[in-house]
Amino acid sequence: MTKFAFVTGANKGIGYDIVHQLANNDFQVFLGARSEELGQQAVKSLCLSNVSFIQVDISDSQSIQNSVNKILEVTNHLDLLINNAGISLDHHTLPSELKLETLRQEFDVNFFGTFQMIQAFMPLVKKAQGGKIVNVTTDMSSQTMFDNGEVAPINALGYNSSKTAVNALTLAFGKEFGADGPEIFGVTPGFTTTDLNGNAPGGNTTAESAHIITAYALSDKNYNGKILDKNGIIPW
């Protein structure tokens, strides 16, 4: 049976490479992006017959529902949903200087968007044999690791806390799904040189980070409700 995957925020960066890697693992992949133009360009540049574009803005409920309807035209099940889309607007802003509207915007996309994606696509993932939902997070969202200085000391309250909230919803849905499935977990690929951080040097390449995520997505081991980095389960 054909395996289907949907990756959001996939016209560039880590998401683009996740699509590429899943397509090479015989998935029929829906490449999700807000911009039709950029999404279609990304599909064209991959030159793979098993990749197609789906327009989705995860901060827009109607756009999410439209993406569900588009995918239902092709399949009634989704083996893999990778919630990769996210924004970072305060990497260089102190918490005391952060504007409320910026904080709200980050939560609107990173937390509420991911929440809506999970609810909307849950029925399709449940229909798949061994369906999985993977939430892309950051190691800076681990309160324990951030407090201990085990991660980059970027005190970006909006980005970090919105991803901590994503970890909380990963745990909550994991408790709901239990042993019956589907499986949901979070993965942080670690520091990666991308547009998100102004292409800051010294990080993983997007392909290296994508591989960390796809390796867990394709693993036979069950990580339901957990948050993972390249070495395994990390603390909350």
Side-chain angles (χ1 to χ4, degrees):
M1 194 160 73
T2 305
K3 294 179 294 182
F4 292 93
F6 185 24
V7 186
T8 63
N11 59 286
K12 62 180 180 179
I14 295 170
Y16 179 86
D17 281 301
I18 292 172
V19 169
H20 195 184
Q21 291 171 19
L22 290 175
N24 286 338
N25 276 281
D26 300 323
F27 276 81
Q28 185 73 38
V29 190
F30 301 108
L31 183 156
R34 271 184 308 175
S35 162
E36 173 130 16
E37 184 186 358
L38 296 176
Q40 295 284 16
Q41 279 176 11
V43 170
K44 196 174 174 184
S45 71
L46 283 165
C47 285
L48 295 167
S49 60
N50 55 334
V51 175
S52 55
F53 171 67
I54 294 283
Q55 196 278 331
V56 65
D57 176 351
I58 70 164
S59 67
D60 182 329
S61 304
Q62 189 57 56
S63 177
I64 291 172
Q65 191 52 54
N66 292 346
S67 72
V68 173
N69 296 340
K70 281 286 182 192
I71 287 174
L72 282 171
E73 290 174 11
V74 180
T75 174
N76 72 340
H77 73 277
L78 197 61
D79 299 85
L80 202 48
L81 170 64
I82 299 193
N83 288 312
N84 170 71
I87 58 171
S88 172
L89 305 174
D90 66 328
H91 258 54
H92 304 289
T93 307
L94 292 171
S96 59
E97 295 168 0
L98 181 62
K99 288 184 169 64
L100 178 61
E101 64 205 52
T102 305
L103 184 62
R104 281 193 202 280
Q105 200 177 342
E106 287 176 292
F107 265 81
D108 198 35
V109 174
N110 298 347
F111 178 70
F112 291 109
T114 301
F115 168 73
Q116 289 182 90
M117 284 291 298
I118 294 168
Q119 279 198 337
F121 281 95
M122 216 166 65
L124 278 78
V125 179
K126 280 184 170 176
K127 280 184 182 165
Q129 185 85 31
K132 294 182 187 181
I133 299 170
V134 181
N135 297 326
V136 178
T137 185
T138 172
D139 49 12
M140 294 183 298
S141 68
S142 164
Q143 304 287 277
T144 305
M145 293 173 75
F146 189 67
D147 186 42
N148 291 344
E150 296 171 59
V151 298
I154 301 171
N155 197 10
L157 175 64
Y159 180 68
N160 294 358
S161 66
S162 64
K163 289 293 193 177
T164 303
V166 168
N167 296 351
L169 75 81
T170 303
L171 178 60
F173 275 103
K175 295 290 187 191
E176 178 181 339
F177 297 159
D180 299 328
E183 185 183 349
I184 184 169
F185 55 86
V187 181
T188 167
F191 173 44
T192 310
T193 300
T194 68
D195 286 1
L196 206 67
N197 51 36
N199 293 304
N204 295 341
T205 65
T206 54
E208 287 167 342
S209 286
H211 179 70
I212 293 166
I213 295 162
T214 53
Y216 282 121
L218 301 175
S219 169
D220 290 333
K221 195 166 177 185
N222 190 297
Y223 292 104
N224 188 46
K226 304 299 183 191
I227 308 298
L228 309 151
D229 69 3
K230 65 180 180 182
N231 300 315
I233 297 166
I234 64 172
W236 297 104

